[in-house]
Amino acid sequence: MRDAPTPTWDYVRDGAEIYRQSFATIRAEADLTGLPGDLAPVVVRMIHACGMVDLPADVAASPGAVRQARQALRDGAPVLCDAQMVASGITRSRLPADNDVVCTLSDPQVPELAARLGTTRSAAALELWRPRLAGAVVAIGNAPTALFHLLEMLAAGAPRPAAVVGIPVGFIGAAESKAALATGGHGVPYLVVHGRRGGSAMTAAAVNAIADVRE
Amino acid sequence: MRDAPTPTWDYVRDGAEIYRQSFATIRAEADLTGLPGDLAPVVVRMIHACGMVDLPADVAASPGAVRQARQALRDGAPVLCDAQMVASGITRSRLPADNDVVCTLSDPQVPELAARLGTTRSAAALELWRPRLAGAVVAIGNAPTALFHLLEMLAAGAPRPAAVVGIPVGFIGAAESKAALATGGHGVPYLVVHGRRGGSAMTAAAVNAIADVRE
């Protein structure tokens, strides 16, 4: 008598082949026709991170935003992240200039700053970005209050980042903060996903695609 | 002559109030009626992390999985994560026993292991879990190959984890790996999101909700 066979599963085990098939599936299923040439591959990678091919309808960016953010990274700009998950998701080997990836949320000054400013810690943490904000690439993937706070800082004359990837997620303020970013009155290049969807994975994927054109 | 007024935005700045309104919105819009009592709050937190109230239709769990995973964490089980983003998303202050949060993906042994086993690094990294797998809470939020590899390890007699939160995302193998987990032949309690959706934020949110009943 023999033992029952061990169950096995037939699946692709080659990482490069998984990427190739994934991106081919996305290009077959997603409607990318409305997107400028340099934005489309960024959106493909964002779809890869979330599994949803209907994402393009919610994506908006200022003309040239991908090019401007990419050039800033090549010039050594830091990536300023609102959450540690965003920072964790940025693939360091894709960054063109060994760029710093910064998240100030766990800085010990933040709780007191938040209390003093009457806002969330996610928003208050951006005050610590000021010395590095000029020319930086901003990646906000979690907190709507952080994106609103950035817009308030810009309106009050804070240094200009090179571009803002603004994709906070959720139900309270997320859609509104992204709509405010996309009005563009601040003059800063931007990329958003309108509505409630967003998050750290989509945001990190956008930065990873901007950083390196390789798929 | 006065300067033009600085634009301002009206939004909720109180973190606790944002949480309260977010969870109230989710409970008003999401159909949680089909979910067991201890699973519903976990799914609410997962929805909070992704902004999508239609998530419950794709969630499946073995009976008692939340209770069993929660008890394991109270007993000090480590959380074994397939990706650093998942580990980053787990709120340490919610863990009941100062539990270890482990991600072996960047271990220097992994590239050689992957080459030898003919699989992805995400899958090969799970080989390093073996000494801690018995009774652990597994959180797979990125790689379908990692979830398939876990099932193969279990089928071949590896130590049993206390529960598997299996929510990899994407187009190649994600839905299939979660369907394989949910067949349950391995006898391990599980929580999945069927289909292509998933990811590190949803997975970390599930662990955070299991770890601590507070919202």
Side-chain angles (χ1 to χ4, degrees), chain A residues 70-141:
Chain A
R70 181 169 291 150
Q71 188 59 51
L73 292 178
R74 287 176 180 162
D75 292 343
V79 185
L80 308 181
C81 307
D82 71 325
Q84 190 54 49
M85 278 189 88
V86 177
S88 286
I90 294 173
T91 305
R92 300 307 194 270
S93 61
R94 297 181 67 90
L95 295 171
D98 197 18
N99 309 63
D100 285 343
V101 178
V102 177
C103 176
T104 53
L105 183 55
S106 60
D107 187 286
Q109 302 172 71
V110 168
E112 195 206 305
L113 261 175
R116 181 148 53 85
L117 297 170
T119 190
T120 64
R121 283 180 292 161
S122 291
L126 272 62
E127 291 294 324
L128 304 178
W129 290 1
R130 288 184 183 272
R132 306 200 66 179
L133 193 54
V137 172
V138 168
I140 294 178

Side-chain angles (χ1 to χ4, degrees), chain B residues 90-96 212 214:
Chain B
I90 294 173
T91 306
R92 301 307 194 269
S93 60
R94 297 181 68 91
L95 295 172
D212 190 335
R214 286 176 303 176

